[in-house]
Amino acid sequence: MFTNRKSGTIHRRRVQLAAAYLAAVALTFTAASCGSPSGSGSAPVPVPPATGDPVSAQTTALGTILVDGRGRTIYQFANDKNNTSTCAAACLDNWPYVPAPDSLPTSSPGVSGKVGSITRDDGHRQLTVAGHPLYTFVVDSSPGQTNGQGINLNGGVWTVVSPAGAPLANPSPASAATQTSIAPGY
């Protein structure tokens, strides 16, 4: 009997991703139920708006970071070097790349880093800021979520991106309660 190793690997990654998603949801519900009572004066966490711009800088629980046109958090991969993406195949199942528009904007709201693009090995164009390829995280199901911040997944660390295009490795202290951790082994 033959076994398909690729199929087993894909299934295992899907199970791991589902476990990560469930852990993130559980942590979100736990954090929400442990929150401060209403009327305590704590400010709500801002949710980035969907602007339609390929990339913009928006205020979130982690501070001012880059988001895509739907308001979803943008990340960069520590393993990417010199305008080259190293996230391919199964990595893209977790970290979809941010596609570059046909015509790059000359400026983007609040973005101080140079907006550009690279051509991926599959021929598609990926958006970059300050030479860093940009991605979203599948566990972030809505604007304002930053579940991928600081996790080590697919062989490297993922971080949200500052308006200058640099990784935001040390987010604002207000974000500590909103970060989620992914199960060990990722």
Side-chain angles (χ1 to χ4, degrees), residues 2-155:
F2 294 99
T3 59
N4 185 336
R5 294 183 80 197
K6 183 176 180 181
S7 177
T9 300
I10 292 170
H11 175 73
R12 186 172 54 252
R13 288 188 190 271
R14 286 183 178 155
V15 169
Q16 290 172 336
L17 185 58
Y21 177 75
L22 291 174
V25 168
L27 186 60
T28 300
F29 285 126
T30 301
S33 66
C34 294
S36 59
S38 62
S40 67
S42 63
V45 175
V47 176
T51 64
D53 293 308
V55 63
S56 66
Q58 299 291 330
T59 301
T60 70
L62 295 179
T64 302
I65 63 172
L66 297 183
V67 299
D68 70 4
R70 297 181 299 160
R72 293 183 49 170
T73 302
I74 290 179
Y75 300 88
Q76 60 181 256
F77 190 33
N79 293 2
D80 289 348
K81 304 288 184 224
N82 301 323
N83 287 312
T84 303
S85 171
T86 60
C87 181
C91 177
L92 291 174
D93 290 340
N94 296 323
W95 304 96
Y97 67 87
V98 177
D102 291 335
S103 177
L104 288 176
T106 55
S107 67
S108 293
V111 179
S112 58
K114 182 178 179 184
V115 177
S117 68
I118 59 170
T119 301
R120 300 182 52 78
D121 289 341
D122 63 7
H124 291 104
R125 291 181 49 221
Q126 180 174 0
L127 197 64
T128 63
V129 171
H132 299 284
L134 305 177
Y135 307 86
T136 57
F137 187 39
V138 296
V139 179
D140 291 346
S141 59
S142 62
Q145 292 182 335
T146 56
N147 296 310
Q149 171 59 21
I151 66 170
N152 190 332
L153 189 60
N154 298 103

